[in-house]
Amino acid sequence: MDTRFNLFENEIGSRFAKRFAGTALVLHDASLPRSTQELVSLRASQINGCGHCIDMHVKEAAAAGESQVRLHLVAAWRESTVFTEAERAALALAEEGTRLADAHQGVSDETWALVRKHYDDDQTAALVCLVALINAANRLAVITHQKGGSYEAGMFAAALG
């Protein structure tokens, strides 16, 4: 599979990518724990089959100190003991918010109640926006066939600086 299109080499794509990255910075600076952000981004990317984003979020999480055990178990978080209740609520929101077409109810009331139990208003806003943002990023990368494997931790931040 070859990359279909490089958005960064196109004027419209490049302008969009800069603004898109700016929204990611808002979330990066939010009070939602960084580890939770990486786990949520990883889980949505797994569901969407986005190799580029899986590569990025595994490496960023590992560089930030996330354990290999937790990273390996994100795909099976319901059958794992290594995630907190708050992380479980965030992962459930990530899954239900990613699989909107698969569920007639979208995000369940039960999942929403768990999110609200564990996260304040700012963290909830960041979590909802993160789920939307990572799904958009997955779609951009999957549509254009961006491959995983070459990302190095810190590349995203360096590109913004």
Side-chain angles (χ1 to χ4, degrees):
M1 171 178 73
D2 292 329
T3 300
R4 289 179 172 160
F5 189 77
N6 186 334
L7 286 171
F8 300 102
E9 292 177 354
N10 174 273
E11 181 184 348
I12 291 172
S14 179
R15 287 174 40 212
F16 177 82
K18 288 177 186 174
R19 285 165 179 78
F20 191 80
T23 62
L25 286 177
V26 171
L27 299 177
H28 187 272
D29 295 337
S31 62
L32 184 66
R34 190 80 193 128
S35 59
T36 302
Q37 291 187 40
E38 293 298 344
L39 295 173
V40 163
S41 295
L42 176 56
R43 185 63 192 126
S45 299
Q46 289 171 335
I47 292 166
N48 289 322
C50 183
H52 176 75
C53 294
I54 291 168
D55 186 34
M56 175 190 293
H57 293 292
V58 164
K59 290 174 180 173
E60 289 293 347
E66 190 60 71
S67 77
Q68 291 299 309
V69 170
R70 284 168 45 93
L71 290 173
H72 289 297
L73 289 173
V74 168
W77 65 269
R78 283 186 176 86
E79 292 79 31
S80 304
T81 60
V82 298
F83 301 104
T84 67
E85 280 189 38
E87 290 167 337
R88 290 175 166 290
L91 289 165
L93 182 71
E95 285 190 0
E96 291 176 24
T98 297
R99 292 182 164 138
L100 292 175
D102 298 340
H104 69 281
Q105 64 184 5
V107 174
S108 70
D109 290 339
E110 294 80 11
T111 294
W112 187 253
L114 287 172
V115 166
R116 296 304 291 156
K117 175 182 174 185
H118 294 287
Y119 298 102
D120 65 24
D121 287 351
D122 287 347
Q123 293 170 324
T124 299
L127 191 53
V128 169
C129 292
L130 177 62
V131 171
L133 186 70
I134 190 59
N135 275 279
N138 292 162
R139 280 147 179 80
L140 290 168
V142 170
I143 290 167
T144 60
H145 283 184
Q146 302 302 306
K147 298 178 188 93
S150 63
Y151 185 85
E152 293 179 26
M155 283 177 70
F156 181 74
L160 297 176

